[in-house]
């Protein structure tokens, strides 16, 4: 993929830090660096956490290509256990009631970003369009970045500050943060905050998401799940 200068600088720093941490000096700088960095950070979190800065975003992907966003063609598919499946365009998303919140973002590997200003919509307003069936007990969030997916129970999805965010700090959500829309659930670690949202499906029960299949807790409550610090 083509990397912008500021991105390659961040990756360069990430690779440097990982290399310093030891055991990873074979990490070659080059084409695969982007996916290597995002794939490697979590498993070695306990080793590298002490030397990584704890403030500021780190951009994570699980593939070597960040999805692109075209407002003219973007669609959010909402379906599963609903009365009326819907395909929501970007214009329709922006026409839903707009809310704002300031919340803090925690990655399970130990970094935090305080007071992020988000703008977006509440999930209940999307549910209003499709009307979940009584047997819908959980929500599946599907990223356009395959195979990234995660789930919340209905109760978790309906927490008051869960947001489908299309703005970050007063600007449209940047590509690397999941343009045009990502999940925000401040009570839970970053891996539940699916970027590049492409689909929302109502399902009966939660299942393991991407990182959960690799050993992280489904219920990723900040401070109480199996991050490196607990
Ligand atoms: N599609 C997708 N969403 C994702 C991830 C990812 O790799 N791909 N990483 C998750 C993790 S582990 C974290 S901490 C946050 C990081 O958000 P950021 O990349 O905007 O900093 O995104 C989450 N959502
Ligand atoms: Mo994370």
């Amino acid at each position: 993929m083509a990397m912008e200068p500021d991105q390659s600088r961040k990756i360069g720093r990430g690779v440097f830090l990982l290399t310093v941490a030891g055991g990873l000096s074979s990490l070659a700088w080059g084409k695969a660096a982007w996916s290597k960095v995002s794939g490697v950070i979590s498993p070695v979190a306990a080793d590298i956490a002490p030397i990584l800065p704890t403030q500021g975003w780190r951009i994570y992907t699980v593939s070597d290509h960040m999805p692109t966003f075209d407002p003219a063609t973007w669609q959010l598919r909402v379906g599963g256990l609903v009365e009326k499946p819907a395909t929501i365009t970007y214009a329709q998303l922006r026409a839903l009631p707009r809310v704002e919140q300031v919340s803090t973002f925690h990655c399970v590997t130990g970094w935090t970003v305080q007071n992020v200003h988000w703008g977006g919509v509440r999930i209940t307003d999307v549910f209003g369009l499709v009307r979940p069936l009584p047997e819908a007990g959980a929500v599946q969030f599907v990223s356009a970045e395959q195979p990234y997916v995660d789930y919340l129970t209905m109760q978790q999805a309906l927490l008051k500050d869960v947001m489908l965010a299309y703005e970050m700090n007063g600007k449209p959500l940047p590509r690397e943060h999941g343009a045009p829309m990502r999940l925000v659930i401040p009570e839970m670690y970053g891996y539940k905050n699916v970027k590049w949202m492409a689909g929302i499906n109502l399902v009966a029960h939660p299942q393991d998401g991407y990182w959960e299949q690799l050993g992280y807790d489904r219920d990723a409550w900040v401070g109480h799940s199996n991050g490196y610090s607990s």
Side-chain angles (χ1 to χ4, degrees):
M1 59 174 282
M3 284 184 283
E4 291 148 27
D6 65 322
Q7 286 167 0
S8 49
R9 190 157 27 81
K10 277 183 217 144
I11 295 164
R13 183 173 163 75
V15 170
F16 169 71
L17 289 168
L18 289 169
T19 306
V20 166
L24 291 162
S25 44
S26 62
L27 248 191
W29 171 243
K31 191 168 165 284
W34 181 273
S35 53
K36 282 253 167 37
V37 169
S38 42
V40 156
I41 280 178
S42 236
V44 296
D47 299 328
I48 63 169
I51 62 156
L52 283 173
T54 55
Q55 297 289 321
W57 294 106
R58 256 160 272 156
I59 306 301
Y60 289 159
T61 59
V62 295
S63 64
D64 59 4
H65 184 77
M66 287 194 274
T68 50
F69 163 53
D70 177 351
T73 57
W74 183 83
Q75 291 185 331
L76 176 71
R77 290 170 186 282
V78 191
L81 299 172
V82 297
E83 278 178 31
K84 192 174 164 289
T87 300
I88 298 172
T89 65
Y90 188 62
Q92 286 167 336
L93 177 74
R94 296 299 304 244
L96 290 172
R98 180 176 186 286
V99 293
E100 293 183 24
Q101 74 186 39
V102 175
S103 51
T104 293
F105 191 98
H106 302 275
C107 173
V108 73
T109 62
W111 55 267
T112 288
V113 182
Q114 308 274 356
N115 301 327
V116 188
H117 196 148
W118 301 106
V121 303
R122 293 295 174 209
I123 216 163
T124 44
D125 286 312
V126 172
F127 286 172
L129 301 173
V130 296
R131 297 192 296 275
L133 296 170
E135 57 267 37
V139 191
Q140 179 196 46
F141 299 94
V142 183
S143 178
E145 188 204 22
Q146 290 169 4
Y148 208 96
V149 66
D150 214 325
Y151 296 78
L152 295 176
T153 65
M154 186 59 83
Q155 203 181 3
Q156 292 163 356
L158 295 178
L159 288 170
K160 293 284 175 245
D161 55 355
V162 167
M163 187 188 270
L164 300 171
Y166 52 67
E167 283 175 4
M168 186 179 156
N169 298 325
K171 300 198 186 90
L173 189 68
R175 183 181 183 197
E176 65 272 22
H177 289 292
M181 194 263 274
R182 79 179 300 168
L183 185 66
V184 172
I185 174 164
E187 291 85 353
M188 291 200 180
Y189 285 118
Y191 63 89
K192 306 296 287 191
N193 295 238
V194 175
K195 304 196 285 183
W196 303 293
M197 187 91 73
I200 297 177
N201 292 308
L202 284 288
V203 295
H205 305 287
Q207 293 172 44
D208 282 342
Y210 182 87
W211 282 110
E212 293 140 39
Q213 287 167 27
L214 297 170
Y216 283 89
D217 283 347
R218 262 186 213 176
D219 293 335
W221 303 113
V222 172
H224 300 280
S225 70
N226 66 348
Y228 77 92
S229 59
S230 55

